[in-house]
Structure formats: C-alpha cells, structure tokens
Amino acid sequence: MDEALLRSLTPGVLTVLVRRGADFAAAEDAVQDALVEAVRVWPDGMPQDPKGWLVTVAWRKFLDATRADTARRRREDRVDAEPAPGPATAVDDTLRLFFLCAHPSLTPSSAVALTLRAVGGLTTRQIARAYLVPEATMAQRISRAKRTVSAVRLDRPGDVATVLRVLYLVFNEGYSGDVDLAAEAIRLTRRLAASIDHPEVAGLLALMLLHHARRAARTAPDGGLVPLAEQDRGRWDTVAIAEGVGILQAALARDRLGEFQAQAAIAALHADAPTAEETDWVQVVEWYDELVRLTDSPVVRLNRAVAVGEADGPRAGLAALAALDDSLPRHTAVAAYLHERDGDPATAARLYAEAALKAPNLAERDHLTRQAARLNSRRER
C-alpha cells in the first residue's frame, strides 16, 4: 500500500466532492471513509485510475451518509411530534448510559456528543448548533461513537472518573447556539447523583453550582470579561451557592477527598467572601496544595501561584511561578498580574500584551489587551 500516493490524492478527491455539492466537513468524512476502503481493498490489486476510484467510492460514501442523515432527521422529527408517553414501569438505565457514553475507547469530543444525545436527549441538530458545526458532521460523529461502543459489554463497574470528566467537559463548553450546555451539564450531573452514591459526583455537582452562580456577573454589558475580584457579588445566585455549599459539606464529611471536591472547596471560599479583599487566601492555598497532591497538574500549580501571590504577597507568587514551565497556557497572563501587584507596571504591560497574543478566545484577548492599554496610559501621563 502506497501511503504517500493516498496522501497526494486526498486533496484532489476532496476538491471534486466539494465541487459536486458536498459541504466541506461531510466531504472530509467521505474521503476518509474512502481511504479506509482503499487500505482494505488495494493490497489485492491497485486500480488503474486510483484517483477516479477514490472519487467514486467517496461520492458513494457521501450519498450514503446524506441518505442516512435525512432518514435520521425524519425519525427525530416523528419522535418530536409524538404525544408524551403515559405512565409506565420505571426502569432507569441512566447509569448504564453514562458509563457507555464515557467509554475510554471514545475520544473526548465523541463522548461528550454521545452523552448529550443518549443521556441528555438533545437532538443532533441542537448539539451541532451548540458546537457550531454542520449537523451532518455531528451526526457522523455520533454514529461513529455508537458503532464504537455497540459491542461493549458493561459487565464490570464503570469508571466514574471518566464519566465525571465528560460531564465537566460539557459544563466548560458554557453557552452557545440555542443550548445552554452549562445548565445541561448541571441537569445531567443531578441525574448521575440520583443514580449513584459517590462523593466525587457530589463534588462535581457542587463545583458546577458554585461556578454557575457567578455567571451573571462574569461579563460586562459590552460583552467584556469581568475578573472575579471586580465582579458585582450582588449579582451572584445565592440560592445556587447555598445548595452547592450544602452538597459539598455533605461530600467532604465522608472523608473521601477527590479533585472535584477540592476544586469545589476553593470555589466555596470565593463564594463565601463578601468582597475580594476578604477572601481567605490562606485556606485557598491549602486547598490548592491538596489539589496538587491529588492531580500533580501543572495548571493547578499555576493557579496555586496566583493564590500564593494573594496570600503571601506578589513576590512569593512570582517565586512559585518561576518553578513552572513558561509555555503553560495563561502563564504569561499570571506573570503580568503578579508583576502589576508587585509595582512593576512596565513589565506587567509588556506581559499583558504578550499574553493577549496567546489568548485562546476573543473575549480573553480583548481583556488582556485592555489591561496592557490601561497600564501604558498611566505611564504616559
């Protein structure tokens, strides 16, 4: 099998499919399926016209996928139009579905999509809109995930940690399109908590509630980010905070600490402080120490450096930061903040500008750019 030949033919085949009317994402999937078929068939005899063979097979794969997608949408529309079912014997397969959808053989993106479809009950169209991808692309992603787990036997206890990681990924997607994924993640985690008695499930639910409680205060009217220290705490959802703290306290009382409980404890300390200045940063550092012990995560160590800078002063924070790899995401932004706290606006402004160039999203980039501009304008006065 000439892999170099396949790689060289792929762009041309993709172009032909797009010219015939296939959208780019669907064409990519069809070409990938054709390449898999070529790997299977060609060792028995190379076609005389390899590109033509690939185009023909890829176009058939595209048509098959399009027909399947149309049929699926019709089925979903028929289900949506059906009246609500009457009373029935309660047989809850929720827990089995959670473990199946979070199977380790799936990629994180596939596990999230399958969880939203199979457990959350969202339509493929809703999931696609939430992730800002074509519906056909999401349908194929979900179909592949279903095929992957179709032969999986769940005759052993599932991996709770994997299920929780998938739900955490859903929560972190936040809001986009017509589906509030943060609220959906909370709803799904409540269902999981009702199905399984596990302190880390409770810890994740508490963490979600505590973070979600600050949602209304996180953005300014113009859409800009509002840092935690500058948020209007009067806009925080005190009912969600009280529920999250209650769930967390019950989980911690079981003395089976996990990373989500530790994260929730940090969020609770922030929620409990009437003002940013009254935050118990010493306790925050102690909880970060627990998180480092549990996860040994570089990102946790980065967040700990910020907490150390608040508890023991910016120079202590910079010393903690110096022990970390400067290629870590948001490392430069943290350095900028700590240098500003240490009374070095020139260095802070330069680092804020550098951090803006590395920002993972537009809102964060704009915030960091404004921070740099604020410090530069002060120096020019």
Side-chain angles (χ1 to χ4, degrees):
M1 173 59 59
D2 191 339
E3 294 183 5
L5 174 61
L6 284 177
R7 285 196 298 271
S8 68
L9 293 175
T10 298
V13 176
L14 185 59
T15 300
V16 172
L17 265 63
V18 172
R19 286 176 178 171
R20 288 186 179 183
D23 70 73
F24 189 80
E28 278 190 317
D29 287 335
V31 172
Q32 289 299 317
D33 289 340
L35 292 175
V36 171
E37 188 70 9
V39 170
R40 186 181 69 84
V41 172
W42 285 11
D44 296 331
M46 180 79 71
Q48 291 185 349
D49 180 6
K51 180 179 178 181
W53 187 96
L54 284 171
V55 169
T56 299
V57 174
W59 184 247
R60 287 174 182 166
K61 297 286 187 182
F62 167 73
L63 292 177
D64 289 344
T66 301
R67 293 189 190 102
D69 183 58
T70 300
R72 174 194 56 75
R73 292 181 62 173
R74 287 174 180 165
R75 289 195 300 271
E76 288 186 356
D77 289 340
R78 283 198 298 270
V79 169
D80 290 342
E82 289 177 357
T89 304
V91 178
D92 191 358
D93 287 330
T94 300
L95 187 59
R96 182 178 184 279
L97 279 175
F98 270 116
F99 287 121
L100 189 64
C101 294
H103 195 270
S105 62
L106 296 175
T107 63
S109 61
S110 295
V112 167
L114 190 57
T115 299
L116 290 172
R117 183 73 187 92
V119 187
L122 300 184
T123 66
T124 305
R125 187 179 310 165
Q126 287 175 312
I127 302 170
R129 286 177 180 171
Y131 281 88
L132 305 177
V133 299
E135 185 179 348
T137 299
M138 184 57 69
Q140 291 197 4
R141 185 180 298 176
I142 293 172
S143 294
R144 286 199 194 98
K146 288 179 179 178
R147 287 197 299 270
T148 299
V149 300
S150 61
V152 171
R153 293 182 60 191
L154 293 179
D155 52 358
R156 292 179 297 174
D159 182 4
V160 176
T162 304
V163 176
L164 295 181
R165 187 63 55 193
V166 169
L167 290 171
Y168 192 49
L169 287 172
V170 175
F171 181 78
N172 283 336
E173 288 296 329
Y175 176 86
S176 60
D178 60 353
V179 178
D180 185 339
L181 289 176
E184 181 65 16
I186 292 173
R187 187 181 73 83
L188 290 173
T189 307
R190 286 190 191 279
R191 290 186 66 185
L192 182 62
S195 304
I196 183 172
D197 182 22
H198 195 291
E200 271 293 82
V201 177
L204 179 59
L205 179 56
L207 176 64
M208 289 178 175
L209 289 167
L210 290 165
H211 277 311
H212 204 54
R214 302 200 299 262
R215 175 172 173 169
R218 283 201 189 101
T219 53
D222 64 358
L225 290 180
V226 180
L228 177 62
E230 300 172 18
Q231 289 177 14
D232 177 0
R233 300 185 178 219
R235 301 183 66 195
W236 289 2
D237 184 344
T238 54
V239 174
I241 290 172
E243 183 186 4
V245 169
I247 292 171
L248 173 63
Q249 288 174 338
L252 291 175
R254 300 177 65 176
D255 199 25
R256 289 170 56 194
L257 184 64
E259 64 172 296
F260 289 118
Q261 294 170 73
Q263 286 189 55
I266 294 169
L269 287 169
H270 287 300
D272 186 56
T275 65
E277 293 73 23
E278 295 174 86
T279 304
D280 189 343
W281 285 106
V282 173
Q283 274 204 68
V284 171
V285 172
E286 290 173 355
W287 277 110
Y288 271 121
D289 288 340
E290 290 288 347
L291 260 180
V292 168
R293 180 181 63 79
L294 289 166
T295 68
D296 195 28
S297 163
V299 174
V300 171
R301 292 180 183 275
L302 182 68
N303 292 331
R304 179 185 177 278
V306 177
V308 169
E310 300 290 351
D312 301 325
R315 295 199 176 181
L318 286 168
L321 188 65
L324 303 177
D325 187 342
D326 61 9
S327 66
L328 275 173
R330 297 186 173 87
H331 184 284
T332 308
V334 170
Y337 173 74
L338 291 172
H339 276 289
E340 181 181 359
R341 288 278 320 281
D342 195 38
D344 187 355
T347 300
R350 176 178 57 79
L351 290 172
Y352 276 130
E354 289 181 13
L357 297 175
K358 305 173 185 177
N361 56 66
L362 182 61
E364 191 169 331
R365 186 189 71 188
D366 289 347
H367 171 71
L368 293 167
T369 301
R370 284 196 295 269
Q371 295 293 84
R374 172 179 57 82
L375 293 178
N376 285 328
S377 64
R378 286 182 184 176
R379 292 167 54 209
E380 291 170 359
R381 291 175 187 170

